[in-house]
């Protein structure tokens, strides 16, 4: 599909998410707002020395609440873990609230620019970038959304450990599971 066609579709249908970016693609430098108050941020400013994991999040989705502890456990030296809220606060009033306080950076994607640029569709939907801002993983958190005790594949935990230790990421994509993002 030609670039101009994609632009026309995005202009005429703003809630439509663009195709997901490919492994190896660069992280776009886009503006974000802190959900905890304070200054405006950019995606590039949030990347840690070993990389960054952007987890699309919601204050109003059962699946994200079931993943809270698992995502907070990802905090590690060198890899930034950022929760990104792209949902339209007009459609979901809870999204405008700061919500629960996390040990992670929690940002608002006010116009849905990052979600559209990456092709994020769900909460949670994970995009991991290495320290050169190249996409190395996209997908879900693990293979057991409802029960962490039965998880056999801990995709994002493995990705974060590999990034933190400077290793090559050995899995590049999985299928995300969760609530649909409703963009502004």
């Amino acid at each position: 599909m030609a670039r101009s066609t994609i632009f026309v579709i995005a202009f005429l249908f703003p809630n439509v998410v663009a195709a997901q970016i490919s492994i190896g693609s660069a992280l776009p430098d886009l503006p974000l707002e802190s959900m905890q108050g304070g200054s405006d941020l950019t995606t590039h400013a949030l990347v840690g020395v070993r990389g960054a994991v952007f987890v699309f999040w919601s204050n109003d989705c059962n699946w994200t609440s079931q993943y809270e502890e698992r995502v907070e456990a990802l905090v590690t030296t060198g890899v930034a873990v950022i929760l990104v809220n792209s949902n339209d606060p007009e459609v979901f009033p809870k999204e405008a609230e700061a919500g629960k306080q996390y040990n992670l950076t929690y940002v608002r994607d006010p116009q849905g620019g990052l979600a559209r640029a990456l092709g994020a569709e769900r909460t949670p939907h994970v995009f991991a970038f290495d320290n050169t801002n190249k996409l190395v993983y996209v997908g879900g958190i693990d293979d057991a959304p409802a029960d962490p005790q039965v998880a056999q594949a801990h995709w994002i935990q493995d990705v974060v450990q590999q990034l933190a230790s400077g290793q090559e990421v050995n899995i590049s994509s999985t299928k995300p599971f969760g609530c649909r993002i409703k963009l502004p």
Side-chain angles (χ1 to χ4, degrees):
M1 186 179 301
R3 225 186 236 304
S4 59
T5 305
I6 292 171
F7 174 75
V8 170
I9 290 170
F11 179 75
L12 294 175
F13 304 99
N15 288 330
V16 174
V17 174
Q20 189 171 279
I21 68 170
S22 302
I23 298 299
S25 296
L27 172 66
D29 197 15
L30 297 171
L32 300 167
E33 299 171 357
S34 174
M35 291 284 278
Q36 291 120 344
S39 62
D40 292 336
L41 307 164
T42 66
T43 51
H44 284 189
L46 294 170
V47 176
V49 294
R50 293 287 186 177
V53 175
F54 292 88
V55 183
F56 285 84
W57 204 251
S58 171
N59 297 334
D60 205 23
C61 174
N62 263 351
W63 297 111
T64 55
S65 63
Q66 291 185 44
Y67 272 119
E68 282 180 0
E69 289 180 15
R70 288 177 267 182
V71 170
E72 284 194 290
L74 296 174
V75 175
T76 184
T77 304
V79 179
V81 180
I82 303 105
L83 302 177
V84 181
N85 191 314
S86 295
N87 276 323
D88 186 343
E90 298 288 321
V91 176
F92 297 106
K94 278 185 168 180
E95 301 299 10
E97 303 168 9
K100 181 181 179 235
Q101 291 299 311
Y102 295 99
N103 289 333
L104 309 167
T105 301
Y106 192 13
V107 297
R108 182 177 291 115
D109 181 16
Q111 303 303 318
L114 183 58
R116 285 185 182 91
L118 299 182
E121 299 176 348
R122 306 197 170 277
T123 60
H125 196 164
V126 179
F127 294 81
F129 294 84
D130 66 14
N131 62 349
T132 67
N133 291 340
K134 299 294 181 208
L135 183 67
V136 294
Y137 173 81
V138 62
I141 293 172
D142 60 33
D143 67 346
D147 185 359
Q149 302 305 318
V150 299
Q152 294 185 18
H154 304 276
W155 304 310
I156 197 57
Q157 181 181 345
D158 293 344
V159 167
V160 167
Q161 289 173 349
Q162 290 162 355
L163 286 172
S165 64
Q167 298 174 349
E168 188 172 321
V169 173
N170 64 10
I171 185 166
S172 60
S173 67
T174 60
K175 186 170 176 57
F177 180 85
C179 303
R180 300 275 306 159
I181 294 175
K182 303 290 189 218
L183 297 171

